[in-house]
Amino acid sequence: MKLVQFMLNTGKIHLGVLDGDSVIDLNSHVNWVPIDLVRFLHEHDQAYQKLKEVASDPLNKRHPLNKVHLLPPIKKPDKILGIAQNYTDYCQENQLKHPKEPIVFSKFASTIIGPYDRIKHPACSSAVDWEVELVVVIGKPARNVKAENAFDYVFGYMATQDLTAKDWMYKNGEEYVLSKNMEHFCPIGPCIVTKDEILDPHNLRVKTWVNGELKQDGNTRNLIFKIDELIEHLSSVINLLPGDLICTGTPSGVGSNRNPPEYLKPGDILTTEVEGVGKLRNCVVD
C-alpha cells in the first residue's frame, strides 16, 4: 500500500491510499479510522492488516489524484532521527574515514512539509544544501531490538530532503541542531510505501535534481550502517515509537562539495526521488 494524507477542496484532511491516478478515501465510509497515521499505528498492533481491510471496502469514495492536495504522510512523529556520514561515496567525497558507529542527530517535527509544498529559504542562511535520503517509518514500539529482527518493526518507507544550512553547521564546530531545523527543512513523502512493496531497501537509487540538473545519484547499497543495524543501535539507547522516522543518510553530490560550492536559492525547483517510493517536487521561495 501507498498511504497518504490529503486535503480536499473543502479543507478537510483525510487518510488515503494511492491507487493509480486516484486516492481511496479511508475516512469516507468508516468513521473509526483516524486521519492521523501516527495515531493509527499507536492504536493498532496489526495496523497494516487493518488498513488493508479498510482500503478494500467497495463503499470507500475515490478522488482523482489531481483533485487533492497531498500533505506530509506523517505530520507529528515523536522523533525524526538523522544519520550523518552514512554512505561510502559521501565519506570518500569528503575524505572522511567511515564512522565506527552511527552518527545520530535529530530534526524537529516542525520542519516537516509536504511533497509538493514550497520551501521557505531562510534569510539567515546563504548556504542551504540538498541531501536526498531514504526514510524508514517505525511501525511498533522498539526497544533493544536485535538486527535479525529489526524489519519486524519497520512499517514502510518515504523519501526526504534533509535540508541543511551549511554555513550554520560549520559556524561553531559542527552545529546540527540549528543547521538542520530551520523552517521547511524536511519535505517528506509523497507517500509511505509499506515494506511489503519494497523487496530490497538496500538496493534503491536515490536522486536529487535542481532545476532539472541531476546533482545526486546514489544507491542505498552504499549505506555504511544498514537499516537493521541502525534500528538495533538506536533501540539499544532510546525507545522507538510508532511513526518515528529514521533518515538513513545521503550519498555524494551535495552542493557544499562542488567546486565552486552550489546552494539552493529562491526560484529553484528541487526534485527528489527514491526508487520505488516516489518523487518530491518543492519550489524554493523567499
Side-chain angles (χ1 to χ4, degrees):
M1 285 188 297
K2 296 179 178 179
L3 291 154
V4 295
Q5 196 174 47
F6 65 96
M7 183 183 291
L8 298 170
N9 56 13
T10 60
K12 289 187 176 180
I13 297 173
H14 291 233
L15 189 66
V17 174
L18 284 182
D19 184 25
D21 293 329
S22 66
V23 180
I24 301 170
D25 190 337
L26 301 185
N27 301 117
S28 64
H29 171 59
V30 182
N31 59 16
W32 59 266
V33 177
I35 64 172
D36 181 357
L37 184 59
V38 174
R39 180 181 160 192
F40 195 101
L41 292 173
H42 272 276
E43 291 179 352
H44 300 285
D45 291 337
Q46 302 296 324
Y48 172 78
Q49 290 300 328
K50 289 188 179 294
L51 285 166
K52 194 173 181 179
E53 290 170 11
V54 175
S56 65
D57 190 327
L59 296 178
N60 288 326
K61 288 184 180 179
R62 285 177 175 262
H63 307 283
L65 182 57
N66 61 5
K67 298 296 184 182
V68 304
H69 176 65
L70 291 186
L71 302 168
I74 283 181
K75 278 192 169 182
K76 294 182 179 180
D78 185 74
K79 292 178 283 298
I80 306 172
L81 300 170
I83 310 297
Q85 301 174 27
N86 198 32
Y87 273 77
T88 56
D89 51 315
Y90 179 90
C91 289
Q92 182 178 3
E93 183 178 60
N94 285 275
Q95 300 180 340
L96 296 169
K97 292 182 179 179
H98 291 186
K100 294 181 179 179
E101 61 180 37
I103 301 171
V104 184
F105 61 90
S106 61
K107 292 186 78 116
F108 305 151
S110 59
T111 64
I112 288 177
I113 60 171
Y116 311 119
D117 291 343
R118 294 178 175 182
I119 296 167
K120 183 179 179 181
H121 193 288
C124 62
S125 175
S126 59
V128 177
D129 209 345
W130 53 81
E131 296 186 16
V132 59
E133 306 204 7
L134 170 69
V135 180
V136 177
V137 183
I138 296 297
K140 58 184 181 180
R143 187 75 165 98
N144 293 319
V145 173
K146 296 301 181 185
E148 57 264 30
N149 302 318
F151 283 100
D152 294 341
Y153 296 83
V154 174
F155 181 75
Y157 304 96
M158 290 190 296
T160 191
Q161 278 286 343
D162 173 26
L163 296 173
T164 309
K166 291 293 175 65
D167 43 359
W168 281 80
M169 172 168 275
Y170 301 121
K171 257 186 177 184
N172 185 22
E174 287 197 344
E175 171 55 78
Y176 279 92
V177 174
L178 297 180
S179 66
K180 296 281 189 180
N181 284 293
M182 296 184 187
E183 190 178 11
H184 298 179
F185 266 25
C186 191
I188 60 172
C191 57
I192 297 174
V193 178
T194 52
K195 66 180 177 183
D196 59 297
E197 295 201 12
I198 302 296
L199 295 178
D200 184 2
H202 295 132
N203 187 21
L204 302 175
R205 291 182 77 178
V206 289
K207 299 180 182 180
T208 296
W209 294 261
V210 179
N211 301 325
E213 182 179 344
L214 185 64
K215 299 296 185 181
Q216 290 182 280
D217 187 359
N219 194 296
T220 56
R221 64 171 170 260
N222 294 320
L223 286 169
I224 296 169
F225 299 102
K226 307 298 187 186
I227 293 166
D228 49 350
E229 295 173 287
L230 292 174
I231 291 174
E232 178 174 2
H233 179 75
L234 293 167
S235 71
S236 71
V237 181
I238 59 177
N239 292 316
L240 297 176
L241 300 177
D244 282 355
L245 308 181
I246 303 173
C247 305
T248 55
T250 199
S252 60
V254 297
S256 58
N257 290 337
R258 295 176 175 270
N259 188 16
E262 300 175 17
Y263 297 110
L264 294 170
K265 60 186 184 303
D268 284 344
I269 302 295
L270 180 66
T271 306
T272 309
E273 182 176 25
V274 174
E275 182 181 2
V277 174
K279 279 187 178 182
L280 317 178
R281 188 178 185 276
N282 303 98
C283 179
V284 183
V285 300
D286 277 321

